[in-house]
């Protein structure tokens, strides 16, 4: 018998968050790595909000996410929904569900999209409903529509100064994270890098919390010209300069790529892959959020490229967008210089697109799109890493496409070491053992490369060590070893010493 339904689908519409509630309501957020989360907290507090970072997601959260939302969803959705629900349940036990709905709101990123990213709010809604927390309010900051006062209420004002604060926070913490990963594997005193990074992030928290207030338009000018952040980063640089390193340890360099959430978080959602790789003897090249945002800018501008000469104003918008992209990169590089240009540069989006073009169409978006392929080839051709470790979420459509495209890349470049890891959240041994197999080959390559550089320059390890002892400034974490004709840090150091000694490499 046919059944008829009279209950139509209604999109989730939370009660608005009002200005009057600002002093009593805490904004919850999370899903990134701890450095940027701490600085974003400072940006929110600087704008007059109460803010709290959710704890790092755990396996327990994954199971809760699967239980209360759609079991077939991609694993980042399960982790993040379960993480929110478990936090709220814990709070509700102490103060009751009604009070939780009154005292907290949740803010996260969302968008329309080719994948589940466009349906995050449905997953959250389902999870909240199934947990008896229907009245709880969560808001999505759509990546493509920042002014959402109508949906959110007037409590949260995503104004220009706050947006710029978030952006500058991303730049600064990306630079710190990148340097941290270059230094820790070589530190002479174990634990010193972690201590310096913690201190630096707390320092940046204060810097962003005390950022001077400006009107929106003055704020743009101020952020672009002020020495406030470059001064702060020079102080971070000074803190790093206390660390002594031994860069003659031969280590394979592993570039992390993959889905945004998995490549960004550090914890159980990605099997603690960053720390695991370090413990296995690798140097990790982390994925910067700055690169991801540069990609989003490029994606947005591609539409105007396609419509130039067809749609009125498209060419002008493209030109303005290119200027904005130039300013974005100029700002990042300005801050990078304040840290001694030690952190990795951001790759050109045009180069990434060009490299990926034979394998992945640049107009296919969702996940990292063609950038994932482009980054792997960029790291390979420019000797930025010995191996690519790609973190692919279980049940992720865009990443499945990228892995398919990478099969073509590996067919063309068989010596590109590529470890695609499917991350389910609960199959750690399987994923890590797969990674270990490729890492073993990467270790051999790093050692071969080092031996080859020694042979080419005619130097021995003892001679290089003696040279470093005679030049102790070269043993500082902030000494810049130029990127030479090698991927490995130790090999590049030997090439650099050889050049200083006037030898050919
Ligand atoms: S890119 Fe993949 S993992 Fe990320 S939201 Fe989309 S489907 Fe999920």
């Amino acid at each position: 018998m046919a059944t008829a339904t009279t209950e139509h689908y209604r999109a989730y519409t939370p009660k608005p968050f009002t200005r009057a509630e600002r002093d009593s309501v805490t904004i919850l957020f999370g899903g990134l790595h701890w450095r940027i989360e701490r600085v974003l907290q400072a940006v929110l507090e600087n704008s007059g909000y109460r803010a709290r970072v959710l704890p790092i997601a755990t396996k327990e959260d994954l199971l809760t996410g699967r239980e209360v939302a759609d079991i077939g969803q991609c694993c980042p959705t399960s982790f993040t929904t379960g993480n929110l629900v478990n936090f709220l349940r814990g709070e509700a036990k102490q103060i009751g569900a009604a009070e939780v709905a009154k005292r907290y709101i949740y803010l996260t990123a969302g968008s329309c999209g080719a994948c589940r990213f466009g349906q995050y709010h449905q997953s959250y809604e389902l999870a909240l409903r199934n947990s008896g927390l229907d009245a709880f309010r969560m808001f999505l900051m759509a990546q493509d529509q920042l002014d959402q006062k109508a949906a959110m209420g007037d409590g949260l004002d995503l104004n220009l100064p706050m947006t710029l604060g978030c952006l500058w926070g991303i730049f600064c913490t990306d630079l710190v994270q990148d340097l941290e990963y270059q230094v820790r594997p070589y530190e002479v005193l174990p634990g010193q890098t972690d201590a310096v990074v913690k201190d630096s992030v707390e320092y940046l928290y204060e810097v962003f919390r005390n950022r001077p207030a400006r009107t929106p338009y003055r704020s743009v000018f101020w952020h672009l010209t002020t020495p406030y952040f470059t001064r702060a980063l020079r102080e971070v640089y000074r803190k790093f300069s206390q660390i002594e390193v031994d860069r003659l340890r031969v280590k394979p360099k592993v570039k992390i790529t993959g889905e945004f959430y998995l490549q960004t978080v550090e914890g159980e959602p990605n099997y603690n892959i960053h720390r695991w790789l370090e413990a296995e003897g690798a140097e990790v090249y982390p994925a910067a959020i700055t690169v991801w945002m540069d990609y989003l800018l490029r994606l947005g501008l591609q539409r105007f490229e396609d419509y130039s000469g067809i749609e009125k104003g498209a060419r002008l918008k493209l030109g303005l967008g290119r200027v904005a992209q130039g300013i974005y990169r100029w700002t990042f590089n300005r801050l990078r210089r304040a840290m001694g240009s030690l952190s990795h540069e951001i790759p050109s989006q045009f180069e990434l697109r060009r490299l990926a073009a034979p394998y992945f169409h640049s107009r296919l978006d969702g996940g990292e799109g063609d950038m994932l392929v482009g980054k792997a080839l960029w790291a390979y051709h420019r000797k930025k890493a010995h191996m690519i470790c790609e973190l692919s979420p279980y049940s992720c459509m865009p990443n499945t496409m990228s892995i398919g495209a990478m099969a073509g890349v590996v067919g063309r470049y068989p010596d590109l070491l590529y470890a695609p890891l499917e991350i389910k959240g609960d199959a750690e041994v399987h994923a890590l053992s797969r990674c270990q197999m490729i890492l073993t080959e990467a270790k051999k390559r790093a050692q071969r490369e080092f031996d080859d550089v020694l042979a080419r320059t005619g130097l021995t390890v003892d001679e290089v060590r003696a040279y470093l002892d005679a030049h102790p400034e070269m043993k500082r974490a902030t000494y810049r070893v130029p990127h030479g004709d090698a991927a490995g840090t130790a090999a590049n150091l030997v090439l650099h010493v050889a050049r200083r000694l006037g030898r050919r490499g």
Side-chain angles (χ1 to χ4, degrees):
M1 195 177 77
T3 53
T5 176
T6 48
E7 251 211 73
H8 296 290
Y9 169 77
R10 265 185 217 92
Y12 170 72
T13 34
K15 264 182 39 204
F17 168 44
T18 64
R19 189 170 269 271
E21 289 178 288
R22 267 194 202 171
D23 293 338
S24 57
V25 170
T26 300
I27 299 173
L28 301 172
F29 68 100
L32 301 165
H33 59 75
W34 67 275
R35 305 164 202 78
I36 180 59
E37 286 172 345
R38 184 73 175 138
V39 170
L40 289 182
Q41 183 181 7
V43 173
L44 285 166
E45 288 172 356
N46 172 268
S47 305
Y49 300 99
R50 294 157 66 113
R52 185 159 164 186
V53 180
L54 285 172
I56 300 171
T58 61
K59 259 183 223 152
E60 198 105 327
D61 294 334
L62 172 78
L63 298 180
T64 303
R66 284 184 187 157
E67 177 197 324
V68 295
D70 170 10
I71 196 165
Q73 65 196 356
C74 56
C75 88
T77 324
S78 293
F79 268 112
T80 49
T81 47
N83 184 237
L84 176 67
V85 164
N86 279 344
F87 174 83
L88 295 177
R89 278 177 177 170
E91 291 295 299
K93 261 193 209 141
Q94 293 172 35
I95 56 175
E99 202 56 28
V100 164
K102 240 202 286 175
R103 286 197 207 171
Y104 295 107
I105 62 164
Y106 178 59
L107 192 61
T108 186
S111 182
C112 169
C115 67
R116 284 159 211 269
F117 197 42
Q119 298 144 28
Y120 260 37
H121 54 293
Q122 269 98 347
S123 291
Y124 282 118
E125 185 198 0
L126 181 64
L128 292 170
R129 206 168 350 114
N130 286 340
S131 311
L133 293 157
D134 318 42
F136 181 77
R137 291 167 292 174
M138 48 129 198
F139 300 98
L140 286 140
M141 284 186 304
Q143 286 179 164
D144 50 356
Q145 186 201 343
L146 281 175
D147 183 12
Q148 296 162 91
K149 272 206 183 108
M152 287 186 181
D154 59 1
L156 192 68
D157 184 10
L158 293 174
N159 55 32
L160 209 46
M162 195 164 114
T163 309
L164 293 172
C166 295
L167 198 54
W168 262 245
I170 289 170
F171 290 151
C172 292
T173 48
D174 270 353
L175 290 165
V176 172
Q177 184 201 33
D178 194 277
L179 184 54
E180 168 193 344
Y181 278 101
Q182 285 183 47
V183 170
R184 189 171 35 235
Y186 304 99
E187 66 188 3
V188 171
L189 200 64
Q192 198 183 1
T193 311
D194 283 346
V196 165
V197 172
K198 199 160 184 299
D199 185 31
S200 301
V201 172
E202 279 314 300
Y203 168 72
L204 287 175
Y205 168 82
E206 292 300 332
V207 166
F208 278 83
R209 200 169 192 277
N210 299 319
R211 204 169 41 118
R214 294 279 183 281
T215 57
Y217 290 105
R218 278 181 181 217
S219 170
V220 176
F221 181 74
W222 182 79
H223 276 84
L224 290 174
T225 56
T226 180
Y228 186 76
F229 300 105
T230 44
R231 251 198 318 259
L233 289 177
R234 271 198 290 275
E235 176 57 20
V236 171
Y237 175 87
R238 194 196 57 74
K239 290 175 193 287
F240 268 91
S241 69
Q242 321 279 319
I243 306 171
E244 191 189 333
V245 289
D246 173 12
R247 292 194 181 94
L248 278 176
R249 295 173 188 163
V250 181
K251 289 173 180 288
K253 205 179 273 186
V254 181
K255 172 98 194 81
I256 302 282
T257 65
E259 189 269 344
F260 176 73
Y261 173 75
L262 287 186
Q263 68 177 2
T264 307
V265 288
E266 291 173 14
E268 290 183 23
N270 58 13
Y271 306 136
N272 269 305
I273 193 82
H274 299 76
R275 290 293 181 144
W276 180 84
L277 282 163
E278 280 190 0
E280 289 293 316
E283 176 188 336
V284 173
Y285 180 166
I289 301 175
T290 306
V291 177
W292 161 250
M293 297 192 33
D294 198 19
Y295 167 69
L296 292 182
L297 258 175
R298 190 247 287 178
L299 266 193
L301 292 180
Q302 282 180 174
R303 188 189 170 277
F304 299 126
E305 282 176 10
D306 295 346
Y307 282 78
S308 280
I310 300 171
E311 190 180 271
K312 199 170 161 225
R315 212 184 296 272
L316 178 67
K317 285 178 190 158
L318 178 63
L320 292 174
R322 290 262 191 271
V323 172
Q325 213 173 9
I327 294 173
Y328 180 89
R329 299 176 68 85
W330 174 82
T331 304
F332 178 80
N333 287 330
R334 180 173 174 235
L335 297 170
R336 181 172 170 258
R337 276 196 299 277
M339 294 259 295
S341 298
L342 293 164
S343 307
H344 290 99
E345 71 273 35
I346 45 173
S348 152
Q349 283 296 325
F350 296 117
E351 186 179 355
L352 297 183
R353 182 168 72 181
R354 182 181 58 75
L355 288 168
Y359 310 96
F360 203 102
H361 201 291
S362 61
R363 268 55 178 173
L364 279 173
D365 66 2
E368 281 215 327
D370 65 333
M371 186 168 74
L372 193 145
V373 178
K375 281 202 298 193
L377 282 165
W378 177 80
Y380 170 74
H381 288 306
R382 290 182 167 244
K383 297 195 175 168
K384 299 286 182 188
H386 296 101
M387 162 183 163
I388 310 295
C389 176
E390 183 192 320
L391 306 174
S392 263
Y394 163 74
S395 181
C396 168
M397 181 268 284
N399 258 86
T400 308
M401 287 167 63
S402 306
I403 292 174
M406 280 302 292
V409 174
V410 176
R412 172 99 165 71
Y413 302 100
D415 55 339
L416 189 155
L417 287 183
Y418 169 62
L421 306 184
E422 190 190 52
I423 311 282
K424 288 176 74 182
D426 55 2
E428 190 164 349
V429 177
H430 185 72
L432 295 183
S433 78
R434 183 182 167 84
C435 189
Q436 207 157 32
M437 286 193 292
I438 318 269
L439 187 63
T440 304
E441 181 53 34
K443 282 181 186 172
K444 284 188 205 153
R445 281 214 194 159
Q447 188 62 51
R448 264 203 309 272
E449 177 188 65
F450 183 70
D451 295 341
D452 177 50
V453 162
L454 285 175
R456 267 160 54 197
T457 56
L459 286 167
T460 64
V461 175
D462 288 343
E463 281 170 332
V464 177
R465 205 173 279 289
Y467 186 86
L468 296 175
D469 288 340
H471 300 83
E473 75 281 1
M474 294 180 76
K475 296 202 273 187
R476 297 277 124 223
T478 43
Y479 182 82
R480 186 162 181 267
V481 178
H483 186 259
D485 186 31
T489 298
N492 276 318
L493 177 65
V494 174
L495 286 170
H496 179 53
V497 169
R499 257 191 308 275
R500 283 177 62 134
L501 287 168
R503 299 208 191 184
R504 288 170 150 261

Coordinates of all heavy atoms in Angstrom, one line a residue, residues 29 35 52 58 98 135 148 167 183 226 252 301 324 327 338 359 366 379 403 410 485:
F29 N 34.5 25.6 19.7 CA 35.0 25.3 18.3 C 36.1 24.4 18.5 O 36.6 24.1 19.6 CB 35.4 26.6 17.6 CG 36.6 27.3 18.2 CD1 37.9 27.1 17.6 CD2 36.5 28.1 19.3 CE1 39.0 27.7 18.2 CE2 37.7 28.7 19.9 CZ 38.9 28.5 19.3
R35 N 47.7 24.7 18.1 CA 48.4 26.0 18.0 C 47.4 27.0 17.5 O 47.2 28.1 18.1 CB 49.6 25.9 17.1 CG 50.6 24.9 17.5 CD 51.6 24.6 16.4 NE 52.2 23.3 16.6 CZ 51.6 22.2 16.3 NH1 50.4 22.1 15.7 NH2 52.3 21.0 16.5
R52 N 35.8 28.7 23.9 CA 36.4 27.5 24.5 C 36.7 26.5 23.4 O 35.9 26.3 22.5 CB 35.5 26.9 25.5 CG 36.0 25.8 26.3 CD 35.3 25.6 27.6 NE 35.6 24.2 28.1 CZ 35.0 23.7 29.2 NH1 34.0 24.4 29.8 NH2 35.3 22.5 29.6
T58 N 38.7 11.8 20.1 CA 39.3 10.5 20.4 C 38.5 9.4 19.7 O 37.5 9.7 19.1 CB 39.2 10.3 21.9 OG1 37.8 10.3 22.3 CG2 39.9 11.4 22.7
A98 N 19.2 21.7 29.4 CA 18.6 23.0 29.1 C 19.7 24.1 29.4 O 19.8 25.0 28.6 CB 17.4 23.3 30.0
A135 N 17.8 21.4 21.5 CA 17.7 22.8 21.6 C 19.1 23.5 21.5 O 19.2 24.7 21.5 CB 17.1 23.2 23.0
Q148 N 26.4 36.2 7.6 CA 25.2 35.3 7.8 C 24.4 35.8 9.0 O 23.9 35.0 9.8 CB 25.7 33.9 8.0 CG 26.4 33.4 6.8 CD 27.2 32.2 7.1 OE1 26.7 31.1 7.0 NE2 28.4 32.4 7.5
L167 N 42.9 35.2 10.1 CA 43.8 35.0 9.0 C 45.3 35.1 9.4 O 46.1 34.3 9.2 CB 43.5 36.0 7.9 CG 44.0 35.6 6.5 CD1 43.6 34.3 6.1 CD2 43.5 36.7 5.5
V183 N 62.6 21.2 13.5 CA 63.6 21.3 14.5 C 63.6 20.1 15.4 O 64.6 19.5 15.8 CB 63.4 22.6 15.4 CG1 64.3 22.6 16.6 CG2 63.7 23.8 14.6
T226 N 51.4 47.1 9.8 CA 51.9 47.1 11.2 C 53.2 46.2 11.4 O 53.2 45.1 10.8 CB 50.9 46.7 12.2 OG1 51.4 46.8 13.5 CG2 50.3 45.3 12.0
P252 N 64.5 10.4 6.7 CA 63.7 10.7 5.5 C 62.7 11.8 5.8 O 62.2 11.9 6.9 CB 62.9 9.3 5.3 CG 62.9 8.7 6.7 CD 64.1 9.2 7.4
L301 N 38.6 32.0 -8.0 CA 38.9 32.8 -9.1 C 38.8 32.0 -10.5 O 38.6 32.6 -11.5 CB 40.4 33.3 -9.0 CG 40.6 34.3 -7.8 CD1 42.0 34.8 -7.8 CD2 39.6 35.5 -8.1
A324 N 44.2 40.4 -4.7 CA 44.0 39.9 -3.4 C 44.9 38.7 -3.1 O 45.5 38.5 -2.0 CB 42.6 39.5 -3.2
I327 N 48.4 39.9 -2.5 CA 48.6 40.5 -1.1 C 48.6 39.3 -0.1 O 49.4 39.4 0.9 CB 47.4 41.4 -0.8 CG1 47.5 42.6 -1.8 CG2 47.4 41.9 0.6 CD1 46.3 43.6 -1.7
A338 N 60.2 37.4 8.9 CA 60.4 37.8 10.3 C 60.9 36.6 11.1 O 61.5 36.7 12.2 CB 59.1 38.3 11.0
Y359 N 46.5 14.8 -14.8 CA 45.9 13.7 -14.0 C 44.5 14.0 -13.4 O 43.8 13.1 -13.1 CB 46.9 13.2 -12.9 CG 48.2 13.0 -13.4 CD1 49.2 14.0 -13.4 CD2 48.6 11.8 -14.0 CE1 50.5 13.8 -13.9 CE2 49.8 11.6 -14.5 CZ 50.8 12.6 -14.4 OH 52.1 12.4 -14.9
G366 N 35.9 19.7 -4.2 CA 35.6 18.7 -3.2 C 36.9 18.2 -2.7 O 37.9 17.9 -3.4
A379 N 56.4 18.2 -4.5 CA 57.4 17.8 -3.5 C 58.4 16.8 -4.2 O 59.6 16.8 -3.9 CB 56.7 17.0 -2.4
I403 N 43.0 9.5 -5.1 CA 43.9 8.3 -5.1 C 43.9 7.6 -6.4 O 44.9 7.1 -6.9 CB 43.4 7.3 -4.0 CG1 43.7 7.9 -2.6 CG2 44.1 6.0 -4.1 CD1 43.1 7.1 -1.5
V410 N 51.8 7.7 -10.2 CA 52.8 6.7 -9.8 C 53.2 5.8 -11.0 O 54.4 5.4 -11.1 CB 52.3 5.9 -8.6 CG1 53.3 4.8 -8.2 CG2 52.1 6.8 -7.4
D485 N 70.6 20.5 -3.6 CA 70.1 19.5 -4.5 C 69.7 18.2 -3.9 O 70.0 17.1 -4.4 CB 71.3 19.3 -5.5 CG 70.9 18.4 -6.7 OD1 69.7 18.4 -7.0 OD2 71.8 17.6 -7.2

